[in-house]
Amino acid sequence: MSHDGGERGARAPGEDPVRHTRACTPAELVGAAPEPEFQLTFDGRPIRALPGQTIAAALWSAGILTWRTTRVHGRPRGAFCGIGACYDCLATVNGRPNQRACLLPAGPGDAITTQEGDGHAALDG
Ligand code: FES
């Protein structure tokens, strides 16, 4: 009997036991069966999301890392803390500015737009 638990856990000599899996995604690792994906938009561009994903997660999944610019210098920002504490992830969602993308669940048809400055420029007038 081998020290790795017998035949089921058998592996080649020198093989890393932590990497002994065929799962490729977090959903596969936990055996999840997500509900069907849906569509939303970022600056008019269609992107996909899964039920339960936050808007930040959906944007990240689409390769979008920034969706806001700072008030003073116009520097790009996206998610930083991921837990609702830093406010770096503010976005305009369905016309409402200053929504924390890391906390807000994505919904079918949501329209996320890049937020510039305090997000109220489009509301003034
Ligand atoms: S990433 Fe920090 S509040 Fe959203």
Side-chain angles (χ1 to χ4, degrees):
M1 183 169 151
S2 70
H3 64 281
D4 63 3
E7 284 182 33
R8 215 177 110 201
R11 58 181 177 264
E15 184 180 357
D16 183 351
V18 175
R19 300 180 139 242
H20 192 68
T21 178
R22 298 182 85 90
C24 299
T25 67
E28 290 170 347
L29 283 170
V30 298
E35 294 174 24
E37 63 185 22
F38 55 85
Q39 185 173 296
L40 43 89
T41 61
F42 174 68
D43 288 343
R45 168 184 152 197
I47 64 173
R48 297 173 181 271
L50 289 170
Q53 277 188 316
T54 63
I55 286 174
L59 292 171
W60 275 351
S61 295
I64 299 163
L65 303 180
T66 65
W67 50 85
R68 177 173 82 84
T69 56
T70 58
R71 293 176 200 168
V72 177
H73 297 293
R75 295 193 173 124
R77 292 291 185 270
F80 180 67
C81 72
I83 58 172
C86 74
Y87 290 74
D88 263 8
C89 66
L90 296 177
T92 299
V93 180
N94 300 324
R96 296 176 55 212
N98 298 314
Q99 304 300 301
R100 282 176 286 179
C102 72
L103 297 181
L104 194 61
D110 279 346
I112 297 105
T113 50
T114 295
Q115 178 169 313
E116 297 179 7
D118 63 11
H120 290 91
L123 303 176
D124 295 340

